[in-house]
Amino acid sequence: MSTLTIVVRYFASARAAAGEEEEKVQLPAGASVGDAVAELRRLHPVGLPRVLDAASYLVDGVAVRDLGRGLRDGAELDVLPPFAGG
């Protein structure tokens, strides 16, 4: 089975919940953003799932609305929790 590797970058409370700024995650070929989020829940079951529920995502710097969007090998997935302030 072939795989792809993405770089996940965490910001603000997502960084605190994951305990790291970024990590590489391996997924099956053809994986989507939703598949990546499910894997992040599995890798970090304490704290991060709550943040992921409210987070926005960027793939290679572009906002993602459809979690069914496919990922390519080497993609960057940014996890952006809601930010307070104005």
Side-chain angles (χ1 to χ4, degrees):
M1 175 159 115
S2 69
T3 61
L4 58 89
T5 301
I6 63 169
V7 175
V8 180
R9 299 187 310 170
Y10 299 103
F11 293 87
S13 61
R15 179 182 300 161
E20 52 196 335
E21 187 171 322
E22 73 175 43
E23 67 180 317
K24 290 185 178 180
V25 176
Q26 281 200 323
L27 299 165
S32 68
V33 173
D35 296 327
V37 172
E39 179 65 2
L40 297 178
R41 289 176 187 280
R42 188 188 71 75
L43 292 171
H44 304 282
V46 177
L48 189 60
R50 182 180 55 80
V51 175
L52 295 173
D53 287 342
S56 299
Y57 302 97
L58 302 179
V59 174
D60 296 329
V62 178
V64 173
R65 304 262 184 263
D66 177 11
L67 296 184
R69 176 184 171 170
L71 294 167
R72 65 168 180 80
D73 189 51
E76 286 186 343
L77 176 66
D78 295 341
V79 180
L80 305 170
F83 292 97

